[in-house]
mmCIF file of all heavy atoms in Angstrom:
data_model
loop_
_atom_site.group_PDB
_atom_site.id
_atom_site.type_symbol
_atom_site.label_atom_id
_atom_site.label_comp_id
_atom_site.label_asym_id
_atom_site.label_seq_id
_atom_site.Cartn_x
_atom_site.Cartn_y
_atom_site.Cartn_z
ATOM 1 N N GLU M 16 0.795 -1.220 0.000
ATOM 2 C CA GLU M 16 0.000 0.000 0.000
ATOM 3 C C GLU M 16 0.835 1.283 0.000
ATOM 4 O O GLU M 16 0.377 2.320 -0.482
ATOM 5 C CB GLU M 16 -0.971 -0.025 1.177
ATOM 6 C CG GLU M 16 -2.046 -1.107 0.992
ATOM 7 C CD GLU M 16 -2.997 -1.222 2.159
ATOM 8 O OE1 GLU M 16 -2.794 -0.534 3.186
ATOM 9 O OE2 GLU M 16 -3.958 -2.024 2.049
ATOM 10 N N LYS M 17 2.055 1.236 0.519
ATOM 11 C CA LYS M 17 2.928 2.409 0.470
ATOM 12 C C LYS M 17 3.241 2.757 -0.978
ATOM 13 O O LYS M 17 3.228 3.929 -1.369
ATOM 14 C CB LYS M 17 4.225 2.131 1.237
ATOM 15 C CG LYS M 17 5.259 3.272 1.145
ATOM 16 C CD LYS M 17 5.094 4.258 2.244
ATOM 17 C CE LYS M 17 6.045 5.459 2.077
ATOM 18 N NZ LYS M 17 7.413 5.186 2.538
ATOM 19 N N PHE M 18 3.523 1.743 -1.792
ATOM 20 C CA PHE M 18 3.801 1.988 -3.210
ATOM 21 C C PHE M 18 2.544 2.479 -3.912
ATOM 22 O O PHE M 18 2.598 3.388 -4.739
ATOM 23 C CB PHE M 18 4.333 0.718 -3.886
ATOM 24 C CG PHE M 18 5.025 0.984 -5.186
ATOM 25 C CD1 PHE M 18 6.397 0.826 -5.311
ATOM 26 C CD2 PHE M 18 4.318 1.412 -6.314
ATOM 27 C CE1 PHE M 18 7.046 1.080 -6.511
ATOM 28 C CE2 PHE M 18 4.961 1.675 -7.513
ATOM 29 C CZ PHE M 18 6.325 1.509 -7.610
ATOM 30 N N ALA M 19 1.407 1.875 -3.594
ATOM 31 C CA ALA M 19 0.152 2.288 -4.230
ATOM 32 C C ALA M 19 -0.143 3.763 -3.980
ATOM 33 O O ALA M 19 -0.710 4.447 -4.845
ATOM 34 C CB ALA M 19 -0.997 1.421 -3.715
ATOM 35 N N GLN M 20 0.256 4.271 -2.834
ATOM 36 C CA GLN M 20 0.036 5.673 -2.512
ATOM 37 C C GLN M 20 0.877 6.609 -3.377
ATOM 38 O O GLN M 20 0.573 7.801 -3.488
ATOM 39 C CB GLN M 20 0.341 5.925 -1.032
ATOM 40 C CG GLN M 20 -0.648 5.274 -0.083
ATOM 41 C CD GLN M 20 -0.203 5.311 1.359
ATOM 42 O OE1 GLN M 20 0.837 5.905 1.696
ATOM 43 N NE2 GLN M 20 -0.966 4.677 2.241
ATOM 44 N N LYS M 21 1.913 6.079 -3.999
ATOM 45 C CA LYS M 21 2.781 6.884 -4.850
ATOM 46 C C LYS M 21 2.230 7.029 -6.280
ATOM 47 O O LYS M 21 2.711 7.842 -7.051
ATOM 48 C CB LYS M 21 4.178 6.255 -4.929
ATOM 49 C CG LYS M 21 4.925 6.204 -3.604
ATOM 50 C CD LYS M 21 6.247 5.466 -3.765
ATOM 51 C CE LYS M 21 7.006 5.359 -2.458
ATOM 52 N NZ LYS M 21 7.507 6.667 -1.983
ATOM 53 N N LEU M 22 1.225 6.223 -6.624
ATOM 54 C CA LEU M 22 0.684 6.251 -7.974
ATOM 55 C C LEU M 22 -0.175 7.490 -8.207
ATOM 56 O O LEU M 22 -0.819 8.005 -7.292
ATOM 57 C CB LEU M 22 -0.162 5.002 -8.232
ATOM 58 C CG LEU M 22 0.540 3.644 -8.144
ATOM 59 C CD1 LEU M 22 -0.464 2.527 -8.385
ATOM 60 C CD2 LEU M 22 1.696 3.558 -9.121
ATOM 61 N N GLU M 23 -0.200 7.931 -9.448
ATOM 62 C CA GLU M 23 -1.071 9.036 -9.853
ATOM 63 C C GLU M 23 -2.326 8.455 -10.509
ATOM 64 O O GLU M 23 -2.278 7.417 -11.154
ATOM 65 C CB GLU M 23 -0.329 9.945 -10.852
ATOM 66 C CG GLU M 23 1.036 10.418 -10.363
ATOM 67 C CD GLU M 23 1.986 10.720 -11.513
ATOM 68 O OE1 GLU M 23 1.557 10.679 -12.695
ATOM 69 O OE2 GLU M 23 3.171 10.981 -11.231
ATOM 70 N N LYS M 24 -3.447 9.149 -10.330
ATOM 71 C CA LYS M 24 -4.717 8.794 -10.988
ATOM 72 C C LYS M 24 -5.089 7.332 -10.730
ATOM 73 O O LYS M 24 -5.294 6.541 -11.651
ATOM 74 C CB LYS M 24 -4.637 9.062 -12.492
ATOM 75 C CG LYS M 24 -4.304 10.501 -12.850
ATOM 76 C CD LYS M 24 -4.166 10.688 -14.347
ATOM 77 C CE LYS M 24 -3.800 12.135 -14.693
ATOM 78 N NZ LYS M 24 -3.625 12.321 -16.149
ATOM 79 N N VAL M 25 -5.194 6.971 -9.468
ATOM 80 C CA VAL M 25 -5.373 5.577 -9.085
ATOM 81 C C VAL M 25 -6.827 5.125 -9.231
ATOM 82 O O VAL M 25 -7.756 5.837 -8.864
ATOM 83 C CB VAL M 25 -4.925 5.354 -7.630
ATOM 84 C CG1 VAL M 25 -5.132 3.900 -7.215
ATOM 85 C CG2 VAL M 25 -3.462 5.740 -7.467
ATOM 86 N N LYS M 26 -6.992 3.941 -9.791
ATOM 87 C CA LYS M 26 -8.267 3.235 -9.811
ATOM 88 C C LYS M 26 -8.066 1.898 -9.114
ATOM 89 O O LYS M 26 -7.092 1.197 -9.392
ATOM 90 C CB LYS M 26 -8.748 3.005 -11.255
ATOM 91 C CG LYS M 26 -9.069 4.277 -12.024
ATOM 92 C CD LYS M 26 -9.525 3.926 -13.437
ATOM 93 C CE LYS M 26 -9.831 5.180 -14.244
ATOM 94 N NZ LYS M 26 -10.256 4.838 -15.641
ATOM 95 N N VAL M 27 -8.973 1.555 -8.216
ATOM 96 C CA VAL M 27 -8.859 0.300 -7.473
ATOM 97 C C VAL M 27 -9.793 -0.734 -8.087
ATOM 98 O O VAL M 27 -10.986 -0.481 -8.270
ATOM 99 C CB VAL M 27 -9.205 0.494 -5.985
ATOM 100 C CG1 VAL M 27 -9.078 -0.829 -5.231
ATOM 101 C CG2 VAL M 27 -8.297 1.553 -5.357
ATOM 102 N N GLU M 28 -9.227 -1.897 -8.426
ATOM 103 C CA GLU M 28 -10.014 -2.993 -8.982
ATOM 104 C C GLU M 28 -9.778 -4.246 -8.139
ATOM 105 O O GLU M 28 -8.665 -4.483 -7.666
ATOM 106 C CB GLU M 28 -9.633 -3.252 -10.438
ATOM 107 C CG GLU M 28 -9.905 -2.069 -11.350
ATOM 108 C CD GLU M 28 -9.515 -2.320 -12.809
ATOM 109 O OE1 GLU M 28 -8.980 -3.414 -13.098
ATOM 110 O OE2 GLU M 28 -9.744 -1.428 -13.635
ATOM 111 N N LYS M 29 -10.829 -5.029 -7.962
ATOM 112 C CA LYS M 29 -10.725 -6.245 -7.161
ATOM 113 C C LYS M 29 -11.190 -7.451 -7.964
ATOM 114 O O LYS M 29 -12.112 -7.358 -8.765
ATOM 115 C CB LYS M 29 -11.564 -6.117 -5.886
ATOM 116 C CG LYS M 29 -11.085 -5.021 -4.944
ATOM 117 C CD LYS M 29 -11.937 -4.947 -3.697
ATOM 118 C CE LYS M 29 -11.448 -3.850 -2.761
ATOM 119 N NZ LYS M 29 -12.264 -3.778 -1.523
ATOM 120 N N SER M 30 -10.537 -8.570 -7.710
ATOM 121 C CA SER M 30 -10.947 -9.831 -8.317
ATOM 122 C C SER M 30 -10.657 -10.925 -7.296
ATOM 123 O O SER M 30 -9.504 -11.148 -6.936
ATOM 124 C CB SER M 30 -10.189 -10.091 -9.622
ATOM 125 O OG SER M 30 -10.629 -11.274 -10.242
ATOM 126 N N GLY M 31 -11.711 -11.565 -6.804
ATOM 127 C CA GLY M 31 -11.515 -12.501 -5.704
ATOM 128 C C GLY M 31 -10.980 -11.750 -4.499
ATOM 129 O O GLY M 31 -11.473 -10.689 -4.128
ATOM 130 N N THR M 32 -9.931 -12.284 -3.898
ATOM 131 C CA THR M 32 -9.298 -11.601 -2.758
ATOM 132 C C THR M 32 -8.179 -10.664 -3.188
ATOM 133 O O THR M 32 -7.561 -10.008 -2.349
ATOM 134 C CB THR M 32 -8.717 -12.630 -1.774
ATOM 135 O OG1 THR M 32 -7.734 -13.434 -2.458
ATOM 136 C CG2 THR M 32 -9.805 -13.538 -1.208
ATOM 137 N N PHE M 33 -7.907 -10.593 -4.484
ATOM 138 C CA PHE M 33 -6.797 -9.802 -4.990
ATOM 139 C C PHE M 33 -7.231 -8.354 -5.251
ATOM 140 O O PHE M 33 -8.325 -8.109 -5.754
ATOM 141 C CB PHE M 33 -6.225 -10.413 -6.266
ATOM 142 C CG PHE M 33 -5.990 -11.898 -6.150
ATOM 143 C CD1 PHE M 33 -6.569 -12.784 -7.043
ATOM 144 C CD2 PHE M 33 -5.198 -12.419 -5.136
ATOM 145 C CE1 PHE M 33 -6.374 -14.148 -6.925
ATOM 146 C CE2 PHE M 33 -4.998 -13.776 -5.003
ATOM 147 C CZ PHE M 33 -5.587 -14.652 -5.906
ATOM 148 N N VAL M 34 -6.334 -7.417 -4.924
ATOM 149 C CA VAL M 34 -6.615 -6.001 -5.118
ATOM 150 C C VAL M 34 -5.561 -5.431 -6.063
ATOM 151 O O VAL M 34 -4.355 -5.639 -5.865
ATOM 152 C CB VAL M 34 -6.601 -5.229 -3.786
ATOM 153 C CG1 VAL M 34 -6.963 -3.758 -4.017
ATOM 154 C CG2 VAL M 34 -7.558 -5.864 -2.791
ATOM 155 N N PHE M 35 -6.016 -4.703 -7.084
ATOM 156 C CA PHE M 35 -5.120 -4.095 -8.059
ATOM 157 C C PHE M 35 -5.314 -2.579 -8.044
ATOM 158 O O PHE M 35 -6.423 -2.089 -8.228
ATOM 159 C CB PHE M 35 -5.392 -4.635 -9.467
ATOM 160 C CG PHE M 35 -5.212 -6.125 -9.588
ATOM 161 C CD1 PHE M 35 -6.301 -6.983 -9.482
ATOM 162 C CD2 PHE M 35 -3.954 -6.672 -9.784
ATOM 163 C CE1 PHE M 35 -6.152 -8.356 -9.568
ATOM 164 C CE2 PHE M 35 -3.789 -8.053 -9.877
ATOM 165 C CZ PHE M 35 -4.881 -8.892 -9.772
ATOM 166 N N TYR M 36 -4.233 -1.863 -7.802
ATOM 167 C CA TYR M 36 -4.247 -0.406 -7.828
ATOM 168 C C TYR M 36 -3.657 0.039 -9.163
ATOM 169 O O TYR M 36 -2.446 -0.071 -9.390
ATOM 170 C CB TYR M 36 -3.418 0.168 -6.678
ATOM 171 C CG TYR M 36 -3.869 -0.281 -5.301
ATOM 172 C CD1 TYR M 36 -3.361 -1.461 -4.734
ATOM 173 C CD2 TYR M 36 -4.780 0.463 -4.568
ATOM 174 C CE1 TYR M 36 -3.765 -1.871 -3.471
ATOM 175 C CE2 TYR M 36 -5.185 0.058 -3.295
ATOM 176 C CZ TYR M 36 -4.671 -1.115 -2.759
ATOM 177 O OH TYR M 36 -5.070 -1.525 -1.507
ATOM 178 N N ARG M 37 -4.512 0.529 -10.047
ATOM 179 C CA ARG M 37 -4.065 0.957 -11.376
ATOM 180 C C ARG M 37 -3.809 2.458 -11.378
ATOM 181 O O ARG M 37 -4.675 3.245 -11.017
ATOM 182 C CB ARG M 37 -5.122 0.625 -12.433
ATOM 183 C CG ARG M 37 -5.386 -0.856 -12.596
ATOM 184 C CD ARG M 37 -6.425 -1.098 -13.675
ATOM 185 N NE ARG M 37 -5.983 -0.633 -14.976
ATOM 186 C CZ ARG M 37 -6.753 -0.514 -16.045
ATOM 187 N NH1 ARG M 37 -8.040 -0.821 -15.949
ATOM 188 N NH2 ARG M 37 -6.264 -0.104 -17.190
ATOM 189 N N GLY M 38 -2.617 2.846 -11.769
ATOM 190 C CA GLY M 38 -2.274 4.260 -11.804
ATOM 191 C C GLY M 38 -1.097 4.511 -12.722
ATOM 192 O O GLY M 38 -0.835 3.725 -13.639
ATOM 193 N N LYS M 39 -0.383 5.596 -12.454
ATOM 194 C CA LYS M 39 0.749 5.957 -13.310
ATOM 195 C C LYS M 39 1.922 6.451 -12.467
ATOM 196 O O LYS M 39 1.737 7.019 -11.387
ATOM 197 C CB LYS M 39 0.337 7.025 -14.317
ATOM 198 C CG LYS M 39 -0.647 6.524 -15.367
ATOM 199 C CD LYS M 39 -0.876 7.538 -16.471
ATOM 200 C CE LYS M 39 -1.791 6.971 -17.553
ATOM 201 N NZ LYS M 39 -1.987 7.915 -18.671
ATOM 202 N N VAL M 40 3.116 6.223 -12.998
ATOM 203 C CA VAL M 40 4.344 6.798 -12.472
ATOM 204 C C VAL M 40 5.014 7.511 -13.630
ATOM 205 O O VAL M 40 5.267 6.894 -14.680
ATOM 206 C CB VAL M 40 5.283 5.711 -11.892
ATOM 207 C CG1 VAL M 40 6.635 6.317 -11.536
ATOM 208 C CG2 VAL M 40 4.659 5.054 -10.665
ATOM 209 N N ASN M 41 5.252 8.796 -13.470
ATOM 210 C CA ASN M 41 5.822 9.591 -14.567
ATOM 211 C C ASN M 41 5.024 9.410 -15.862
ATOM 212 O O ASN M 41 5.587 9.244 -16.945
ATOM 213 C CB ASN M 41 7.291 9.254 -14.786
ATOM 214 C CG ASN M 41 8.177 9.745 -13.653
ATOM 215 O OD1 ASN M 41 7.720 10.474 -12.770
ATOM 216 N ND2 ASN M 41 9.434 9.350 -13.663
ATOM 217 N N ASN M 42 3.710 9.382 -15.704
ATOM 218 C CA ASN M 42 2.762 9.267 -16.825
ATOM 219 C C ASN M 42 2.842 7.927 -17.551
ATOM 220 O O ASN M 42 2.364 7.790 -18.680
ATOM 221 C CB ASN M 42 2.952 10.420 -17.828
ATOM 222 C CG ASN M 42 1.679 10.708 -18.596
ATOM 223 O OD1 ASN M 42 0.575 10.611 -18.060
ATOM 224 N ND2 ASN M 42 1.806 11.052 -19.856
ATOM 225 N N TYR M 43 3.430 6.918 -16.894
ATOM 226 C CA TYR M 43 3.501 5.574 -17.469
ATOM 227 C C TYR M 43 2.636 4.647 -16.615
ATOM 228 O O TYR M 43 2.662 4.719 -15.384
ATOM 229 C CB TYR M 43 4.949 5.065 -17.494
ATOM 230 C CG TYR M 43 5.119 3.784 -18.283
ATOM 231 C CD1 TYR M 43 5.477 3.818 -19.625
ATOM 232 C CD2 TYR M 43 4.893 2.546 -17.691
ATOM 233 C CE1 TYR M 43 5.608 2.639 -20.360
ATOM 234 C CE2 TYR M 43 5.015 1.369 -18.414
ATOM 235 C CZ TYR M 43 5.370 1.424 -19.750
ATOM 236 O OH TYR M 43 5.490 0.258 -20.469
ATOM 237 N N PRO M 44 1.857 3.743 -17.228
ATOM 238 C CA PRO M 44 0.954 2.879 -16.446
ATOM 239 C C PRO M 44 1.692 1.885 -15.554
ATOM 240 O O PRO M 44 2.585 1.160 -16.006
ATOM 241 C CB PRO M 44 0.134 2.153 -17.523
ATOM 242 C CG PRO M 44 0.958 2.237 -18.767
ATOM 243 C CD PRO M 44 1.715 3.529 -18.683
ATOM 244 N N VAL M 45 1.324 1.897 -14.292
ATOM 245 C CA VAL M 45 1.887 0.984 -13.293
ATOM 246 C C VAL M 45 0.734 0.436 -12.464
ATOM 247 O O VAL M 45 -0.188 1.166 -12.104
ATOM 248 C CB VAL M 45 2.900 1.709 -12.382
ATOM 249 C CG1 VAL M 45 3.365 0.776 -11.253
ATOM 250 C CG2 VAL M 45 4.092 2.216 -13.182
ATOM 251 N N ILE M 46 0.786 -0.855 -12.179
ATOM 252 C CA ILE M 46 -0.247 -1.508 -11.372
ATOM 253 C C ILE M 46 0.406 -2.135 -10.148
ATOM 254 O O ILE M 46 1.400 -2.858 -10.264
ATOM 255 C CB ILE M 46 -0.977 -2.602 -12.175
ATOM 256 C CG1 ILE M 46 -1.663 -2.000 -13.403
ATOM 257 C CG2 ILE M 46 -2.000 -3.325 -11.301
ATOM 258 C CD1 ILE M 46 -2.207 -3.032 -14.365
ATOM 259 N N VAL M 47 -0.131 -1.832 -8.989
ATOM 260 C CA VAL M 47 0.312 -2.480 -7.756
ATOM 261 C C VAL M 47 -0.709 -3.550 -7.389
ATOM 262 O O VAL M 47 -1.907 -3.265 -7.288
ATOM 263 C CB VAL M 47 0.456 -1.467 -6.606
ATOM 264 C CG1 VAL M 47 0.790 -2.196 -5.302
ATOM 265 C CG2 VAL M 47 1.534 -0.435 -6.925
ATOM 266 N N ALA M 48 -0.234 -4.770 -7.221
ATOM 267 C CA ALA M 48 -1.113 -5.889 -6.874
ATOM 268 C C ALA M 48 -0.851 -6.328 -5.444
ATOM 269 O O ALA M 48 0.284 -6.650 -5.086
ATOM 270 C CB ALA M 48 -0.887 -7.055 -7.827
ATOM 271 N N LYS M 49 -1.896 -6.315 -4.628
ATOM 272 C CA LYS M 49 -1.809 -6.900 -3.291
ATOM 273 C C LYS M 49 -2.256 -8.347 -3.435
ATOM 274 O O LYS M 49 -3.440 -8.645 -3.547
ATOM 275 C CB LYS M 49 -2.683 -6.116 -2.317
ATOM 276 C CG LYS M 49 -2.528 -6.548 -0.870
ATOM 277 C CD LYS M 49 -3.126 -5.524 0.107
ATOM 278 C CE LYS M 49 -4.592 -5.282 -0.158
ATOM 279 N NZ LYS M 49 -5.191 -4.347 0.818
ATOM 280 N N THR M 50 -1.292 -9.260 -3.440
ATOM 281 C CA THR M 50 -1.548 -10.642 -3.832
ATOM 282 C C THR M 50 -2.044 -11.530 -2.701
ATOM 283 O O THR M 50 -2.663 -12.564 -2.942
ATOM 284 C CB THR M 50 -0.272 -11.285 -4.399
ATOM 285 O OG1 THR M 50 0.722 -11.349 -3.363
ATOM 286 C CG2 THR M 50 0.272 -10.502 -5.573
ATOM 287 N N GLY M 51 -1.747 -11.142 -1.466
ATOM 288 C CA GLY M 51 -1.943 -12.082 -0.370
ATOM 289 C C GLY M 51 -0.690 -12.929 -0.204
ATOM 290 O O GLY M 51 0.165 -13.017 -1.096
ATOM 291 N N LYS M 52 -0.557 -13.552 0.965
ATOM 292 C CA LYS M 52 0.646 -14.329 1.264
ATOM 293 C C LYS M 52 0.586 -15.726 0.633
ATOM 294 O O LYS M 52 -0.475 -16.287 0.436
ATOM 295 C CB LYS M 52 0.807 -14.468 2.780
ATOM 296 C CG LYS M 52 1.057 -13.155 3.505
ATOM 297 C CD LYS M 52 1.337 -13.377 4.986
ATOM 298 C CE LYS M 52 0.118 -13.843 5.738
ATOM 299 N NZ LYS M 52 0.368 -13.957 7.196
ATOM 300 N N GLY M 53 1.752 -16.262 0.346
ATOM 301 C CA GLY M 53 1.843 -17.661 -0.064
ATOM 302 C C GLY M 53 1.951 -17.879 -1.558
ATOM 303 O O GLY M 53 1.628 -17.010 -2.370
ATOM 304 N N MET M 54 2.397 -19.075 -1.891
ATOM 305 C CA MET M 54 2.688 -19.437 -3.281
ATOM 306 C C MET M 54 1.419 -19.534 -4.131
ATOM 307 O O MET M 54 1.392 -19.083 -5.277
ATOM 308 C CB MET M 54 3.442 -20.767 -3.309
ATOM 309 C CG MET M 54 4.747 -20.768 -2.531
ATOM 310 S SD MET M 54 6.090 -19.919 -3.378
ATOM 311 C CE MET M 54 6.740 -21.287 -4.358
ATOM 312 N N GLU M 55 0.361 -20.124 -3.568
ATOM 313 C CA GLU M 55 -0.869 -20.308 -4.340
ATOM 314 C C GLU M 55 -1.519 -18.967 -4.659
ATOM 315 O O GLU M 55 -1.926 -18.714 -5.800
ATOM 316 C CB GLU M 55 -1.850 -21.211 -3.581
ATOM 317 C CG GLU M 55 -1.373 -22.654 -3.433
ATOM 318 C CD GLU M 55 -0.431 -22.858 -2.263
ATOM 319 O OE1 GLU M 55 -0.159 -21.893 -1.520
ATOM 320 O OE2 GLU M 55 0.044 -23.999 -2.101
ATOM 321 N N ASN M 56 -1.633 -18.114 -3.643
ATOM 322 C CA ASN M 56 -2.190 -16.785 -3.868
ATOM 323 C C ASN M 56 -1.407 -16.028 -4.930
ATOM 324 O O ASN M 56 -1.980 -15.395 -5.824
ATOM 325 C CB ASN M 56 -2.184 -15.969 -2.559
ATOM 326 C CG ASN M 56 -3.385 -16.261 -1.687
ATOM 327 O OD1 ASN M 56 -4.455 -16.607 -2.166
ATOM 328 N ND2 ASN M 56 -3.213 -16.124 -0.389
#
């Protein structure tokens, strides 16, 4: 979430338990994914 806070123009999308923060860094698209712990997740 610290990295997600650095993104510009953030949109939050969820799928299952996964959270994706879609935004930009220096006007380039970057997505931060909070995956959950473990190999399967």
Side-chain angles (χ1 to χ4, degrees):
E16 292 177 355
K17 175 90 185 279
F18 198 110
Q20 291 169 4
K21 296 175 182 292
L22 299 178
E23 308 153 6
K24 302 177 181 178
V25 179
K26 295 180 181 179
V27 180
E28 298 180 357
K29 296 181 180 181
S30 183
T32 60
F33 313 124
V34 183
F35 300 96
Y36 302 88
R37 297 181 62 192
K39 292 189 176 182
V40 172
N41 290 352
N42 206 36
Y43 190 93
V45 174
I46 300 170
V47 175
K49 187 165 58 177
T50 64
K52 295 185 291 184
M54 302 284 272
E55 293 83 2
N56 276 331

